[in-house]
């Protein structure tokens, strides 16, 4: 089992779209895949047409009163399951804070799923909170979408600093470009400088594209309504690069 958290301090950068589309790509390639919608807004649940509600809410979940298995729903896609969001997740920080070891809780919850899934994608809410810290402990990899703007650069640097200050040495941060408009000189310039300064950033980039934006209308992963486009090719390339990075990490 590999836990991939799709995470950024910022909102609206393509976390949910990436989590849903990468999970769909992984599942299509035969990997047993789960998306856990941790955002009370429930966007990834919405894309899978599944009600953002779980019995007992975040409180019972963190208290260990429900096993995740019983809350997981199948999606319309083979090998692809969803653990839906719940509006009560807006209070997850408080619920976690009441526990003895708040940041260990997600990892503990995911442990029993190790045999069932090859990949678990955590669709994270924006922010850097106690829940984020629990995500950092649970995840093997932090996939962070970066829109090529100056503000995104700043948040990436904040995240890197946080990882360093908190000695999260086991966590592999993999940034990649999201919502890229190559017609914009600023996007191209920022990408060039970021590639030069950050060796780890992925080469595959997700374009700003109307077929991706349409997910909200279609309510399914991109691959569910588009066979092949520049966008599907970009997600496939991104997935292959992530797989290669995972294999590299395992053999290191
Ligand atoms: N590559 C893209 N091209 C065009 N629109 C996109 C792209 N990625 C995401 N969007 C749109 O931008 C908005 C925010 O994306 P989302 O994936 O929900 O970001 P986050 O989860 O980081 O808040 C959504 O309306 C989504 O449809
Ligand atoms: Mg989201």
């Amino acid at each position: 089992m590999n836990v991939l958290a799709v995470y950024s301090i910022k909102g609206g950068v393509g976390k949910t779209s990436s989590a849903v589309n990468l999970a769909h790509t992984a599942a299509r390639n035969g990997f047993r895949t789960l998306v856990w919608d941790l955002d009370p807004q429930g966007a990834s649940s919405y894309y899978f047409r599944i009600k953002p509600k779980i019995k007992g809410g975040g409180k019972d979940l963190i208290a260990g009163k429900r096993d995740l298995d019983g809350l997981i729903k199948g999606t319309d896609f083979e090998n692809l399951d969803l653990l839906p969001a719940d509006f009560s997740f807006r209070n997850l920080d408080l619920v976690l804070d009441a526990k003895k070891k708040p940041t260990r809780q997600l990892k503990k919850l995911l442990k029993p799923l190790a045999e069932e899934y090859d990949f678990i994608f955590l669709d994270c809410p924006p922010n850097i909170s106690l829940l984020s810290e629990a995500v950092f402990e649970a995840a093997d990899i932090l996939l962070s979408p970066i829109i090529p703007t100056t503000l995104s650069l700043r948040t990436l640097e904040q995240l890197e600093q946080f990882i360093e200050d908190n000695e999260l040495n086991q966590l592999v941060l993999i940034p990649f470009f999201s919502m890229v408009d190559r017609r914009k000189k600023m996007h191209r310039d920022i990408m060039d400088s970021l590639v030069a300064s950050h060796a780890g950033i992925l080469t595959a980039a997700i374009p700003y594209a109307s077929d991706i934006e349409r997910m909200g209308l279609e309510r399914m992963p991109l691959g569910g309504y588009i066979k092949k486009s520049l966008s599907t090719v970009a997600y496939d390339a991104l997935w292959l690069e992530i797989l290669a990075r995972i294999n590299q990490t395992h053999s290191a």
Side-chain angles (χ1 to χ4, degrees):
M1 176 176 78
N2 280 283
V3 180
L4 295 95
V6 187
Y7 171 83
S8 167
I9 300 176
K10 279 174 74 68
V13 296
K15 291 182 297 298
T16 298
S17 320
S18 308
V20 167
N21 291 331
L22 289 172
H24 179 255
T25 306
R28 213 187 49 225
N29 284 291
F31 294 111
R32 298 163 305 163
T33 308
L34 174 73
V35 175
W36 186 355
D37 188 353
L38 281 167
D39 191 336
Q41 292 181 55
S44 48
S45 308
Y46 180 85
Y47 286 141
F48 287 115
R49 308 174 184 220
I50 291 173
K51 205 157 68 187
K53 192 144 190 57
I54 58 168
K55 276 202 193 86
K59 215 170 184 173
D60 274 14
L61 191 71
I62 300 296
K65 288 189 187 157
R66 317 252 165 196
D67 60 349
L68 293 197
D69 243 352
L71 302 172
I72 289 172
K73 310 275 183 208
T75 69
D76 296 336
F77 305 92
E78 205 180 334
N79 297 324
L80 185 48
D81 293 342
L82 177 84
L83 183 52
D86 190 273
F87 193 57
S88 65
F89 286 2
R90 71 197 172 90
N91 292 322
L92 270 186
D93 276 331
L94 294 173
V95 178
L96 286 172
D97 200 31
K99 298 287 283 190
K100 264 210 199 89
K101 293 177 176 146
T103 60
R104 299 243 181 109
Q105 301 303 319
L106 288 192
K107 195 182 177 87
K108 202 168 87 186
L109 282 173
L110 286 171
K111 212 169 175 187
L113 298 179
E115 299 302 312
E116 275 173 69
Y117 293 102
D118 300 308
F119 293 102
I120 297 183
F121 288 86
L122 307 179
D123 183 17
C124 302
N127 214 334
I128 184 148
S129 61
L130 200 52
L131 172 64
S132 324
E133 288 186 61
V135 163
F136 298 163
E137 284 202 27
D140 302 297
I141 285 172
L142 218 52
L143 282 174
S144 197
I146 313 287
I147 304 177
T149 62
T150 43
L151 265 186
S152 304
L153 284 186
R154 261 198 78 228
T155 46
L156 175 61
E157 279 156 12
Q158 283 172 335
L159 178 58
E160 288 170 332
Q161 193 63 50
F162 189 91
I163 289 175
E164 195 183 314
D165 291 348
N166 290 275
E167 296 175 7
L168 298 164
N169 304 324
Q170 88 303 341
L171 188 62
V172 181
L173 171 65
I174 306 186
F176 66 94
F177 292 113
S178 170
M179 298 167 134
V180 172
D181 185 348
R182 286 190 193 273
R183 289 168 308 183
K184 290 187 179 150
K185 184 173 183 314
M186 190 189 74
H187 276 205
R188 296 195 307 269
D189 287 350
I190 290 183
M191 286 170 79
D192 287 346
S193 75
L194 205 62
V195 166
S197 62
H198 290 69
I201 198 150
L202 297 183
T203 333
I206 304 303
Y208 190 90
S210 53
D211 60 354
I212 300 174
E213 212 171 4
R214 240 173 64 215
M215 285 171 69
L217 294 173
E218 304 279 354
R219 293 191 69 182
M220 58 177 96
L222 178 68
Y225 58 92
I226 299 272
K227 273 261 153 55
K228 194 167 180 182
S229 71
L230 287 178
S231 307
T232 64
V233 169
Y235 280 114
D236 287 348
L238 185 65
W239 174 242
L240 286 180
E241 230 180 313
I242 292 165
L243 269 187
R245 194 65 69 82
I246 291 172
N247 290 333
Q248 225 175 42
T249 315
H250 284 177
S251 62

